[in-house]
Amino acid sequence: MSFFGLDCVRKKERELERRLRANDREYNLSFKYATNAIKTSKYNFFTFLPLNLFEQFQRIANAYFLFLLVLQAIPQISSLSWFTTVVPLLLVLTVTAAKDATDDINRHRSDNQVNNRKVQVLIDRKLRSEKWMEVQVGDIIKLENNQFVTADLLLLSSSEPLNLVYIETAELDGETNLKVRQALPVTGDLGDDIEKLADFNGEVRCEPPNNRLDRFTGTLTFAGQKYSLDNEKILLRGCTLRNTEWCFGLVLFGGPETKLMQNCGKTTFKRTSVDRLMNVLVLCIFGFLAFMCTILAIGNCFWELNEGSEFTVFLPRQDDNDAGFSAFLTFWSYVIILNTVVPISLYVSVEIIRLGNSFYIDWDRKMYHARSDTPAEARTTTLNEELGQIKYIFSDKTGTLTQNIMTFNKCSINGKLYGDVYDYTGQRVEITENTETVDFSFNPLADHRFAFHDHALVEAVKLENPEVHAFFRLLALCHTVMAEEKKEGELFYQAQSPDEGALVTAARNFGFVFRSRTPDSVSIMEMGQPHSYELLAILDFNNVRKRMSVIVRSPEGKLCLYCKGADTIIYERLHQSCSKLMDVTTEHLNEFAGEGLRTLVLAYKDLDEEYFSQWKQRHHEASTALDDREDKLEQLYEEIEKDLLLLGATAIEDKLQDGVPQTIEQLSKADIKIWVLTGDKQETAENIGYSCNLLREEMNEVFVISGNSPEDVRQELRNARTSMKPDALEDLAFLQERTRGKGVKVVRDEVVNGEYGLVINGHSLAYALECSMELEFLRTACMCKAVICCRVTPLQKAQVVELVKKYKQAVTLAIGDGANDVSMIKVAHIGVGISGQEGMQAVLSSDYSFAQFRFLERLLLVHGRWSYLRMCKFLRYFFYKNFTFTFVHFWYAFFCGFSAQTVYDEWFITLYNLVYTALPVLGMSLFDQDVNDKWSFQHPQLYIPGQLNQYFSKRAFFKCALHSGYSSLVLFFIPYAAMYDTVRDDGKDAADYQSFALLTQTCLLFAVSMQLGLEMSYWTAVNTFFVLGSLVMYFAVTFTMYSNGMFLMFPSAFPFIGTARNSLNQPNVWLTIFLSSFLCVLPVVTYRFLLIQLYPTINDKVMFKVRQAKAKIPPPSRPLRIRRTSTRRSGYAFSHAQGYGDLVTSGRFLRRPAVSRSSGFTGRTTTGFSPMGRSAGYSPTGRPQNVKVQDVVVTSLQMYRTIKDPAL
């Protein structure tokens, strides 16, 4: 892809295979592999000035003003002083260079912080503490618990039995659950023996650097033997070592060649659509400037031929130049005089406006997150107005929409629902932070971070309700969680799924504590009594089965199968005697689903000893079969997992961040389409989609694309499109397209009846992003209201964003919180980083950052819309005032013999943009707002005009130019007519050049000030001071410069002596000023009045409502809790792929013998839960979390106290 680093591409072309030898730097240096240092900065001390100036002069306007400066240095053609261009140009270059230097210094600091981290490296048979940037390929390094992995490593050995290590890959794929890696036995025997490690001389041959996170191929040759290497033996940079005291690794890839850095897109210079449009308009203006100068030069030539000869007697031509050469010089003279059509102060003002609007974001207390002490931050100042034009938002899920927290919320046991809280009248009450929690002090092994509010469940446990005990016994036994107890009572659970962690922690708190496991046993504490269950089989989870089971023998010798899984899967396998209980549990499941909770159904079955012995034998034969092993195992699983007895259901809340559903609803009303790109599995993503109101039950249909071949994916996409729009053309060539620059087609939106959603998984997306199918996918996806892409890699995230950028004429925003989001953040027009629990890489690569997803609503609907509105008003007004200023010169040329004489005083030309009109327009651009923030939230539709470029476009620009042309005619010819053959009150002649110049420039200043007043929607004391102060400043400066004293001191610089006091005391002069100003704004007032009356915009309607309310802001409506009332339930709450079952039963996970522990519930001990999942109210930051439960509707449900049916 073009947006990824060029270095990486070149390296891949050169290097076909990587070869390295352990502990042999001399050999490895011969290949010139990259070191482990990273560099994201652009400049150094010596290259900053030349590179930065080179970049700045690539901007057309800067190069143009440099060219003007050269022209002004030629006395034959210059009629203006050189300082009128030098001062503004230096100011622009200095301000921009200072901003670029500040940004790059921050990048240098970030690089230095990472490069100077310390790690232990084996050098000269000793472990030495070295900086990360000094680590080289082939080095052996030692990592300790909770350390970041320094580079891409081959795992050699670890402190854990069988050389296992546990890593957290949040920085890579956004998942905080732990993953297991295991070293080769031959290297595992090295242990932590420094001598053996120093003697290790294994040679690795592997794939070259690439960005594939999910695969690795290579071989290790050691002691004459060759060993295969795969991804399970590799530790990638960006991972974090967890629950492992130490490990040793061999560096395979360093710095920019690591897979993490290969997945980070190239940093590109982002420019707004307004910037791009301005570049086009500036080119048009240059063309128009050349056209005007050509007309005036031709006019000069004709004038010289016809009239000029009469003046040669007393004005002889220099060096006998003819009329043609005079016209040539006149052309360049008018280029200098008319250069104000693109004044350099435009770019200075734009930078100031963007900087000011960036400060508003930084200072906004309503985007400050007090809990984490994180303010919003505008990390760039060049993209603010683009925030008001967003059409597509691409969001990560984990940590962006959710809090990375799973909580056991409710459950249904034997037909009775637990989890709700009722008052003394029997009415259900909403659970808040102040709601009383259950006291688990009876259980010394309880996790103090777990919170539950329904006391009835604890009472049922204490009363030894058999169904309740069986329910929690199942949760304590049926899982693949691994427990660690380094100190007595301090339990740490390592769960591959955050859901499993939450369920096992819930069972732990209610008295069924999972303590430890071996390959053939599970030890738990049941209400203070230790029990050891023999583990006979694990029927593991996969995406097809959507359930898992364990077969155990209780201490009493009873055989039992415990099963948990998706409701639809479990219900098909229940005994017919459970039908009545199924109906009640189904009603509970519907209620859970209506609240967006993730559900599981629990069931069990008692097994016959003889039957199980036969089944076990067949299971062994199937598990060792070479052919059709999976199919044979699946048949055996189906055979034994039937006639189950229903126990109940669990409801887990994958806690959303506060305000996510409301934010998504508001953004949807603003016609912003939201796509969720997540590394999680499809079921998890769908559940979050529903709970955050992205997918809604009211949608006509939610399409799931899960084809395993290109043909299947293409057909599923076409079927979805046909369902949404039956008359849709199949041939993409007949799409309504228009060509954008470089032959790229722009696919327009297609209108469909109803609302639809699209869910596509990772392998299907890989096919959909192929060149032959990308337009098919884009067309179908853009017809949907919401799109969710599951199991996507960081590169695929960037490719999806790039696809929309390429073919849609729309502005994109990407938001995420992990390193796996960096590539899409860099590719999108706007990148937003969440300061979350997955590190700071996303924030460091972003354009804007804050702590919570809900702040995105304020960033776009308030700051973004205001910034865009202000910038558009600024540009329209700025072009108007400068075109009007310049066109007067054009009309004057026909009355001065095309001599390149200026119509205004030279000092007025110099100060017009820098002093007289600078502050009023800046005041409008920094403080103006059509409606305040509360009205902006109440009417999100106000955001839509920005998406359609209605405030500033080529059409708006040409309307502005026409208005300027009309105003310049008024401002030249009315003062001209008023001064023509006019005398003063005392009878003296008033029609001289200096008096006319003063009158014209005064009329101009009043006209543009009145136009500014019409543009302004929100007057503040500052705005008023700027407008009136500029007029006062004009008169003060004018009277000073036209005074006798200035003329006596500098007679050549101030020739307009006495003009101000002689002209401005005449009534007819003031009448001319007001008449000209009134005629300039009259068409604007008329046009806007008719437009508001006949075709009012959404802004006009809302501003009318504001005026009706007499500026009294209506109280904001209390945000309703968004609740789904549907029958859809979670198919399965596990958010992981293949489970840990094989690892559990293989014995490869064994740890050191656990410390002795007491068997009774005596004495209070400290308990904990390891930071590897989002379980049971646990936050990876270690903070206690508040449990919030959404409001629910009370159902008239007949609760089952106890099922007496013997069959149950």
Side-chain angles (χ1 to χ4, degrees):
M1 300 297 288
S2 62
F3 48 89
F4 288 99
L6 294 174
D7 292 340
C8 305
V9 177
R10 291 173 186 157
K11 192 68 175 176
K12 276 193 265 189
E13 291 175 352
R14 288 199 305 266
E15 187 177 352
L16 300 177
E17 181 185 59
R18 171 144 298 199
R19 300 181 62 179
L20 61 102
R21 189 178 298 153
N23 293 313
D24 193 343
R25 282 194 170 187
E26 184 177 353
Y27 173 80
N28 298 324
L29 285 173
S30 65
F31 295 101
K32 298 181 180 179
Y33 295 138
T35 64
N36 201 43
I38 62 168
K39 177 177 177 292
T40 61
S41 56
K42 295 167 62 177
Y43 313 108
N44 60 37
F45 181 80
F46 299 102
T47 62
F48 172 74
L49 194 59
L51 277 181
N52 190 260
L53 287 176
F54 175 74
E55 289 178 355
Q56 290 201 60
F57 281 116
Q58 284 184 321
R59 180 180 273 177
I60 296 172
N62 288 347
Y64 167 65
F65 289 114
L66 184 64
F67 174 66
L68 279 182
L69 184 59
V70 174
L71 289 181
Q72 284 181 295
I74 303 173
Q76 286 82 0
I77 62 175
S78 177
S79 56
L80 289 175
S81 301
W82 59 270
F83 59 80
T84 58
T85 300
V86 169
V87 174
L89 181 61
L90 282 178
L91 183 62
V92 170
L93 296 178
T94 304
V95 169
T96 307
K99 180 176 68 66
D100 291 343
T102 303
D103 292 343
D104 207 59
I105 287 171
N106 290 333
R107 284 191 287 266
H108 272 286
R109 286 174 180 166
S110 173
D111 291 346
N112 291 335
Q113 183 183 2
V114 174
N115 289 333
N116 289 313
R117 287 176 180 167
K118 293 299 184 72
V119 67
Q120 295 186 73
V121 184
L122 184 58
I123 300 176
D124 296 333
R125 313 185 79 85
K126 292 181 181 179
L127 281 176
R128 296 182 181 176
S129 180
E130 297 283 345
K131 296 177 180 178
W132 275 28
M133 61 182 178
E134 295 171 354
V135 173
Q136 297 183 15
V137 171
D139 287 351
I140 293 178
I141 64 175
K142 179 182 181 181
L143 298 177
E144 296 180 344
N145 194 31
N146 296 326
Q147 274 190 343
F148 284 108
V149 177
T150 308
D152 288 357
L153 309 176
L154 168 64
L155 178 62
L156 296 179
S157 62
S158 86
S159 59
E160 305 307 301
L162 291 170
N163 299 294
L164 294 176
V165 297
Y166 302 92
I167 56 172
E168 185 180 278
T169 60
E171 288 284 342
L172 292 173
D173 56 19
E175 296 184 1
T176 54
N177 44 283
L178 290 189
K179 295 179 175 59
V180 178
R181 297 289 183 264
Q182 186 175 24
L184 288 168
V186 66
T187 60
D189 294 340
L190 302 173
D192 59 350
D193 189 324
I194 300 301
E195 292 298 323
K196 289 182 179 180
L197 288 165
D199 291 333
F200 177 69
N201 62 351
E203 189 168 331
V204 174
R205 302 181 69 168
C206 64
E207 61 188 20
N210 59 75
N211 54 31
R212 296 189 296 271
L213 296 174
D214 57 344
R215 57 168 293 192
F216 177 85
T217 55
T219 59
L220 169 67
T221 303
F222 178 58
Q225 297 291 322
K226 183 178 287 188
Y227 304 92
S228 175
L229 302 178
D230 56 26
N231 208 45
E232 298 303 309
K233 299 171 181 62
I234 304 299
L235 304 182
L236 299 181
R237 178 174 178 144
C239 298
T240 307
L241 197 67
R242 299 292 192 199
N243 302 321
T244 306
E245 288 186 17
W246 53 261
C247 74
F248 285 87
L250 173 66
V251 177
L252 302 179
F253 303 109
E257 295 177 341
T258 59
K259 290 181 183 284
L260 173 67
M261 298 304 293
Q262 294 273 310
N263 268 284
C264 292
K266 181 185 177 184
T267 302
T268 56
F269 177 65
K270 295 183 178 181
R271 300 168 67 188
T272 67
S273 57
V274 171
D275 272 336
R276 292 189 290 272
L277 177 58
M278 277 178 58
N279 270 356
V280 175
L281 295 180
V282 166
L283 288 175
C284 294
I285 292 170
F286 287 159
F288 185 61
L289 173 63
F291 174 71
M292 287 193 297
C293 293
T294 303
I295 290 177
L296 297 178
I298 293 172
N300 176 266
C301 182
F302 279 106
W303 190 89
E304 287 287 347
L305 291 173
N306 298 322
E307 306 288 340
S309 58
E310 299 177 7
F311 296 89
T312 55
V313 176
F314 59 91
L315 285 176
R317 295 192 178 114
Q318 293 182 358
D319 303 325
D320 297 326
N321 293 332
D322 58 7
F325 188 71
S326 175
F328 174 76
L329 294 179
T330 300
F331 176 87
W332 295 111
S333 296
Y334 273 112
V335 167
I336 296 173
I337 290 174
L338 302 181
N339 79 80
T340 46
V341 286
V342 191
I344 196 165
S345 59
L346 169 68
Y347 293 96
V348 179
S349 302
V350 165
E351 293 296 330
I352 293 173
I353 292 165
R354 286 172 171 167
L355 184 64
N357 285 315
S358 298
F359 281 137
Y360 290 152
I361 295 172
D362 295 340
W363 295 337
D364 193 342
R365 292 185 179 182
K366 294 180 180 177
M367 294 174 67
Y368 169 73
H369 192 240
R371 187 184 305 170
S372 61
D373 189 26
T374 306
E377 181 183 5
R379 297 176 54 81
T380 180
T381 60
T382 59
L383 302 173
N384 295 328
E385 64 269 19
E386 197 96 309
L387 291 171
Q389 299 180 275
I390 303 299
K391 181 66 177 179
Y392 290 89
I393 291 177
F394 300 91
S395 174
D396 179 37
K397 180 193 75 68
T398 307
T400 302
L401 300 179
T402 64
Q403 298 182 28
N404 278 2
I405 300 169
M406 297 281 187
T407 56
F408 181 84
N409 202 303
K410 296 182 181 182
C411 61
S412 170
I413 305 176
N414 198 28
K416 180 173 175 59
L417 189 149
Y418 297 95
D420 291 325
V421 178
Y422 299 88
D423 59 17
Y424 64 92
T425 63
Q427 296 295 316
R428 184 182 304 181
V429 298
E430 181 180 355
I431 295 177
T432 65
E433 298 178 4
N434 299 321
T435 305
E436 182 185 2
T437 58
V438 171
D439 181 13
F440 291 109
S441 59
F442 71 94
N443 180 2
L445 293 175
D447 187 339
H448 65 278
R449 287 166 289 199
F450 179 86
F452 200 75
H453 300 276
D454 187 359
H455 296 267
L457 186 54
V458 174
E459 295 304 317
V461 170
K462 291 180 178 178
L463 293 173
E464 300 185 357
N465 183 307
E467 290 82 9
V468 173
H469 277 213
F471 180 91
F472 286 113
R473 185 178 296 114
L474 186 153
L475 292 181
L477 294 171
C478 184
H479 56 78
T480 57
V481 172
M482 301 179 187
E484 183 177 21
E485 192 170 0
K486 293 187 177 180
K487 294 181 181 178
E488 185 176 355
E490 288 190 5
L491 280 173
F492 296 89
Y493 290 154
Q494 299 159 2
Q496 173 144 349
S497 156
D499 306 70
E500 277 206 321
L503 294 174
V504 175
T505 302
R508 165 185 176 176
N509 275 59
F510 284 102
F512 289 76
V513 184
F514 168 59
R515 297 294 295 269
S516 64
R517 71 184 327 139
T518 67
D520 53 10
S521 69
V522 178
S523 298
I524 65 174
M525 299 282 287
E526 295 186 7
M527 302 305 291
Q529 300 301 316
H531 292 274
S532 180
Y533 288 79
E534 185 180 357
L535 181 61
L536 302 173
I538 294 180
L539 286 55
D540 207 357
F541 166 87
N542 63 39
N543 286 321
V544 178
R545 284 170 43 77
K546 296 187 184 299
R547 65 190 185 276
M548 77 160 291
S549 301
V550 295
I551 300 174
V552 297
R553 178 179 280 112
S554 68
E556 295 80 21
K558 184 178 178 181
L559 277 176
C560 191
L561 179 145
Y562 291 112
C563 182
K564 65 182 180 184
D567 50 2
T568 53
I569 302 297
I570 301 296
Y571 273 19
E572 295 172 357
R573 292 161 175 76
L574 291 179
H575 193 274
Q576 59 185 6
S577 61
C578 299
S579 58
K580 198 173 181 181
L581 181 57
M582 281 173 59
D583 294 338
V584 181
T585 306
T586 300
E587 191 171 346
H588 291 164
L589 286 168
N590 291 340
E591 189 172 336
F592 297 156
E595 299 173 44
L597 303 178
R598 301 151 61 87
T599 57
L600 279 176
V601 171
L602 312 184
Y604 74 100
K605 175 184 179 180
D606 292 326
L607 297 177
D608 178 71
E609 189 78 43
E610 183 178 348
Y611 165 75
F612 176 72
S613 298
Q614 298 174 357
W615 183 89
K616 182 71 171 175
Q617 179 61 33
R618 286 183 287 144
H619 179 267
H620 177 72
E621 294 172 0
S623 62
T624 55
L626 296 178
D627 300 324
D628 301 326
R629 179 186 301 174
E630 292 183 359
D631 292 339
K632 291 177 181 178
L633 287 173
E634 182 60 32
Q635 291 175 6
L636 285 172
Y637 293 167
E638 286 286 342
E639 175 189 324
I640 201 169
E641 289 174 326
K642 62 182 182 181
D643 295 333
L644 304 175
L645 302 179
L646 181 61
L647 270 177
T650 64
I652 294 176
E653 182 181 8
D654 186 356
K655 292 183 73 66
L656 291 172
Q657 291 186 10
D658 295 337
V660 167
Q662 292 83 358
T663 300
I664 288 178
E665 184 180 31
Q666 284 284 85
L667 295 176
S668 180
K669 288 179 181 177
D671 200 28
I672 298 174
K673 294 186 177 182
I674 300 177
W675 294 22
V676 173
L677 312 177
T678 176
D680 274 354
K681 64 184 289 287
Q682 178 182 321
E683 192 65 41
T684 307
E686 280 189 65
N687 285 329
I688 292 297
Y690 276 99
S691 61
C692 72
N693 214 38
L694 185 65
L695 301 176
R696 295 189 300 278
E697 199 64 32
E698 298 78 33
M699 285 183 166
N700 299 58
E701 191 172 351
V702 176
F703 303 104
V704 178
I705 310 298
S706 56
N708 291 309
S709 68
E711 294 75 19
D712 292 344
V713 174
R714 189 186 301 274
Q715 191 58 48
E716 289 178 3
L717 289 171
R718 288 182 174 175
N719 292 342
R721 194 166 64 252
T722 304
S723 299
M724 291 185 282
K725 193 174 183 181
D727 58 343
L729 296 173
E730 288 299 324
D731 190 354
L732 285 172
F734 291 96
L735 270 175
Q736 288 184 331
E737 299 173 343
R738 63 178 179 274
T739 300
R740 197 163 59 184
K742 299 181 182 178
V744 178
K745 296 175 180 177
V746 176
V747 181
R748 292 184 178 176
D749 290 333
E750 298 180 71
V751 179
V752 297
N753 294 323
E755 291 186 354
Y756 298 88
L758 180 73
V759 179
I760 183 169
N761 57 32
H763 57 267
S764 299
L765 183 63
Y767 296 125
L769 291 175
E770 293 177 355
C771 294
S772 60
M773 210 186 304
E774 59 181 10
L775 284 176
E776 191 101 35
F777 166 65
L778 181 66
R779 186 181 173 193
T780 305
C782 289
M783 294 167 74
C784 299
K785 189 73 173 177
V787 178
I788 297 179
C789 303
C790 317
R791 287 293 184 200
V792 294
T793 65
L795 181 59
Q796 283 179 325
K797 290 184 178 185
Q799 288 173 333
V800 171
V801 179
E802 183 71 17
L803 179 65
V804 175
K805 276 182 65 178
K806 183 178 179 182
Y807 291 109
K808 302 294 290 185
Q809 212 164 22
V811 181
T812 60
L813 179 147
I815 179 170
D817 70 322
N820 58 318
D821 305 314
V822 167
S823 54
M824 75 168 179
I825 284 174
K826 289 184 175 180
V827 169
H829 292 103
I830 301 285
V832 178
I834 299 287
S835 306
Q837 301 176 10
E838 294 185 13
M840 293 294 288
Q841 289 229 12
V843 170
L844 292 174
S845 303
S846 66
D847 305 305
Y848 301 89
S849 68
F850 40 72
Q852 295 277 291
F853 181 85
R854 70 176 187 269
F855 297 146
L856 185 63
E857 177 187 9
R858 187 169 182 85
L859 183 71
L860 299 187
L861 300 188
V862 178
H863 292 289
R865 198 179 67 82
W866 281 351
S867 295
Y868 175 68
L869 183 66
R870 291 164 179 164
M871 184 61 71
C872 293
K873 279 189 174 184
F874 164 78
L875 291 173
R876 290 200 308 262
Y877 174 75
F878 207 96
F879 282 126
Y880 165 77
K881 77 181 181 67
N882 282 283
F883 284 2
T884 304
F885 173 89
T886 307
F887 289 166
V888 174
H889 280 300
F890 183 79
W891 307 126
Y892 181 64
F894 291 88
F895 294 83
C896 70
F898 304 98
S899 61
Q901 183 183 17
T902 58
V903 71
Y904 312 114
D905 171 25
E906 186 174 294
W907 284 105
F908 179 80
I909 295 173
T910 306
L911 300 176
Y912 176 72
N913 279 310
L914 293 180
V915 177
Y916 299 148
T917 60
L919 289 180
V921 70
L922 284 178
M924 178 187 72
S925 307
L926 291 174
F927 302 112
D928 195 45
Q929 49 182 261
D930 50 354
V931 295
N932 62 25
D933 54 348
K934 292 184 176 63
W935 285 97
S936 297
F937 288 139
Q938 289 177 12
H939 299 278
Q941 299 83 0
L942 286 168
Y943 191 81
I944 296 175
Q947 299 170 332
L948 304 176
N949 294 307
Q950 290 183 355
Y951 294 147
F952 186 71
S953 60
K954 292 176 183 176
R955 181 181 177 184
F957 172 77
F958 287 116
K959 284 166 62 177
C960 168
L962 287 175
H963 181 207
S964 299
Y966 162 79
S967 297
S968 66
L969 284 169
V970 171
L971 291 171
F972 177 77
F973 285 101
I974 288 184
Y976 178 80
M979 296 288 288
Y980 191 75
D981 289 339
T982 302
V983 295
R984 292 163 44 86
D985 293 342
D986 55 9
K988 294 179 180 179
D989 188 12
D992 61 90
Y993 162 72
Q994 293 186 348
S995 298
F996 173 72
L998 176 65
L999 176 58
T1000 306
Q1001 64 197 35
T1002 308
C1003 290
L1004 171 69
L1005 201 60
F1006 271 83
V1008 296
S1009 297
M1010 290 177 67
Q1011 179 65 32
L1012 181 74
L1014 290 177
E1015 291 286 347
M1016 204 117 58
S1017 303
Y1018 184 65
W1019 283 86
T1020 65
V1022 177
N1023 287 8
T1024 307
F1025 173 76
F1026 282 171
V1027 173
L1028 298 180
S1030 294
L1031 291 174
V1032 172
M1033 175 68 71
Y1034 165 71
F1035 286 111
V1037 171
T1038 300
F1039 276 98
T1040 302
M1041 287 187 174
Y1042 297 176
S1043 66
N1044 297 353
M1046 296 299 289
F1047 175 77
L1048 292 174
M1049 286 189 291
F1050 307 101
S1052 60
F1054 300 100
F1056 280 51
I1057 178 173
T1059 305
R1061 63 176 180 267
N1062 291 332
S1063 294
L1064 295 178
N1065 62 359
Q1066 300 297 308
N1068 63 327
V1069 169
W1070 286 104
L1071 178 62
T1072 304
I1073 291 171
F1074 288 116
L1075 178 63
S1076 302
S1077 304
F1078 176 74
L1079 288 176
C1080 284
V1081 300
L1082 181 62
V1084 179
V1085 175
T1086 306
Y1087 174 75
R1088 291 186 182 177
F1089 174 78
L1090 294 176
L1091 202 65
I1092 291 174
Q1093 296 301 315
L1094 301 177
Y1095 306 104
T1097 63
I1098 179 66
N1099 295 65
D1100 298 328
K1101 294 174 182 177
V1102 174
M1103 291 175 73
F1104 178 71
K1105 288 180 67 176
V1106 173
R1107 286 192 295 271
Q1108 277 189 322
K1110 295 179 181 178
K1112 181 181 179 182
I1113 306 303
S1117 56
R1118 185 168 180 263
L1120 298 175
R1121 293 182 176 274
I1122 297 172
R1123 183 171 65 242
R1124 238 178 357 109
T1125 56
S1126 72
T1127 58
R1128 185 192 180 281
R1129 296 188 294 276
S1130 164
Y1132 201 58
F1134 284 4
S1135 61
H1136 60 85
Q1138 189 73 24
Y1140 273 161
D1142 293 339
L1143 182 61
V1144 168
T1145 54
S1146 69
R1148 290 182 293 164
F1149 65 92
L1150 289 177
R1151 297 180 172 276
R1152 296 185 180 84
V1155 296
S1156 61
R1157 51 184 178 262
S1158 60
S1159 60
F1161 272 27
T1162 59
R1164 184 69 177 173
T1165 56
T1166 305
T1167 60
F1169 184 32
S1170 67
M1172 72 321 184
R1174 296 157 281 179
S1175 310
Y1178 167 74
S1179 162
T1181 60
R1183 301 189 188 97
Q1185 302 294 325
N1186 296 320
V1187 179
K1188 294 183 180 179
V1189 183
Q1190 295 176 335
D1191 192 14
V1192 292
V1193 179
V1194 180
T1195 57
S1196 54
L1197 183 64
Q1198 295 294 326
M1199 298 294 181
Y1200 278 63
R1201 298 286 182 187
T1202 307
I1203 303 296
K1204 298 293 186 182
D1205 193 330
L1208 297 176

